[in-house]
């Protein structure tokens, strides 16, 4: 009986562990704010759901407001996702926006291809959710926004540059340390060999009579 109880307990622990591991992890990561001219760019929008909010109808709307130098600063509806269908709206982004969200609709990002200088500006993501609880159906709207700047080449990240420099410094230090250790070990082995050779030479230099007849101990 005790053995069966222990087996059942281990089974339940394993099931709990598997269910816990299989649950998706949502990280509310901000979007990058720099894009490279002519390259694709993922416009990130993450709206994490709680465990009790899994059942929800979701609608996603993306808006774009250009910089003053790119034209009149009015908000334009450029993309929407509703009823499981992504829809690219008419405008300057037509043919260049694609859905890049996750299946559970916690990540509702889109991808922009062939980035141009005119794509610089203010982007806003609106996530409307209507929850389906047992007795009531509340709704909420989540806003995510960022300003995108388009550059000809990627900017150098100081952190990455410092990390690369430190990596090379560490590599040189480890190489020098290894060389010092090799020289030290070589000298130590050579000195040990010389001492052994001197001992053998001294032993061979002793006459055979002294080897066969060791000196008698002195007695009173």
């Amino acid at each position: 009986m005790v053995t069966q109880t222990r087996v059942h307990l281990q089974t339940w622990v394993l099931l709990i562990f598997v269910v816990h591991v299989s649950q998706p992890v949502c990280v509310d990561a901000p979007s990058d704010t720099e894009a490279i001219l002519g390259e694709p760019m993922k416009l990130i929008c993450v709206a994490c759901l709680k465990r009790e909010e899994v059942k929800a109808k979701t609608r996603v709307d993306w808006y774009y407001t250009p910089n003053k130098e790119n034209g009149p600063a009015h908000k334009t509806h450029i993309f929407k996702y509703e009823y499981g269908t992504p829809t690219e709206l008419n405008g300057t982004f037509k043919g260049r926006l694609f859905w890049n969200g996750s299946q559970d609709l916690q990540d509702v990002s889109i991808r922009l291809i062939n980035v141009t200088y005119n794509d610089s500006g203010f982007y806003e993501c609106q996530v409307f959710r209507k929850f389906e609880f047992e007795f009531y159906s509340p709704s909420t709207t989540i806003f995510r926004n960022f300003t995108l700047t388009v550059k000809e080449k990627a900017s150098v990240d100081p952190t990455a540059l410092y990390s690369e420099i430190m990596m090379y410094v560490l590599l040189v230090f480890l190489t020098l340390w290894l060389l010092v250790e090799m020289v030290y070990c070589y000298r130590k082995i050579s000195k040990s060999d010389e001492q052994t050779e001197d001992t053998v030479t001294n032993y061979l230099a002793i006459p055979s009579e002294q080897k066969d007849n060791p000196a008698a101990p002195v007695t009173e």
Side-chain angles (χ1 to χ4, degrees), residues 2-217:
V2 176
T3 304
Q4 293 179 353
T5 303
R6 184 178 300 173
V7 171
H8 288 309
L9 180 60
Q10 292 176 350
T11 303
W12 277 108
V13 171
L14 181 60
L15 287 175
I16 293 174
F17 175 77
V18 171
V19 171
H20 178 73
V21 171
S22 62
Q23 292 177 351
V25 177
C26 180
V27 179
D28 193 0
S31 179
D32 292 335
T33 57
E34 287 187 3
I36 307 304
L37 182 66
E39 298 291 332
M41 172 69 182
K42 182 178 181 179
L43 308 178
I44 298 176
C45 179
V46 178
C48 296
L49 284 165
K50 300 179 182 178
R51 182 176 301 177
E52 64 271 12
E53 297 176 345
V54 172
K55 294 183 179 180
K57 293 181 179 180
T58 303
R59 173 189 169 100
V60 182
D61 294 285
W62 277 89
Y63 296 91
Y64 167 71
T65 304
N67 295 330
K68 293 181 179 180
E69 58 269 18
N70 292 341
H74 63 272
K75 183 188 294 187
T76 304
H77 194 189
I78 60 175
F79 196 93
K80 72 175 182 178
Y81 180 95
E82 189 176 17
Y83 304 119
T85 303
T87 304
E88 187 183 18
L89 304 178
N90 292 326
T92 58
F93 293 92
K94 184 67 175 179
R96 298 192 296 127
L97 291 176
F98 299 91
W99 177 251
N100 202 182
S102 60
Q103 187 175 2
D104 59 4
L105 296 181
Q106 300 198 78
D107 182 357
V108 291
S109 306
I110 58 177
R111 181 168 291 275
L112 171 63
I113 64 171
N114 193 20
V115 174
T116 67
Y117 284 120
N118 291 330
D119 297 333
S120 297
F122 183 78
Y123 289 82
E124 183 178 33
C125 170
Q126 296 183 9
V127 184
F128 174 81
R129 284 198 172 102
K130 185 176 181 181
F131 303 104
E132 299 176 354
F133 296 119
E134 187 174 355
F135 299 107
Y136 65 106
S137 299
S139 62
T140 182
T141 303
I142 302 172
F143 297 89
R144 298 286 187 269
N145 53 68
F146 58 92
T147 301
L148 183 68
T149 303
V150 178
K151 296 185 176 181
E152 185 177 359
K153 295 181 180 180
S155 301
V156 178
D157 186 2
T159 304
L161 180 61
Y162 295 152
S163 300
E164 187 175 359
I165 293 175
M166 290 302 298
M167 182 186 67
Y168 284 116
V169 171
L170 182 60
L171 182 61
V172 172
F173 173 77
L174 291 176
T175 304
L176 293 176
W177 178 79
L178 181 60
L179 290 174
V180 171
E181 286 293 322
M182 291 177 62
V183 172
Y184 173 77
C185 292
Y186 176 77
R187 294 183 63 181
K188 190 173 182 180
I189 293 174
S190 299
K191 187 176 181 180
S192 177
D193 292 340
E194 290 176 359
Q195 291 177 353
T196 303
E197 185 177 355
D198 292 341
T199 302
V200 174
T201 303
N202 294 335
Y203 179 78
L204 294 176
I206 298 174
S208 59
E209 293 82 1
Q210 295 183 12
K211 296 178 185 177
D212 297 335
N213 301 316

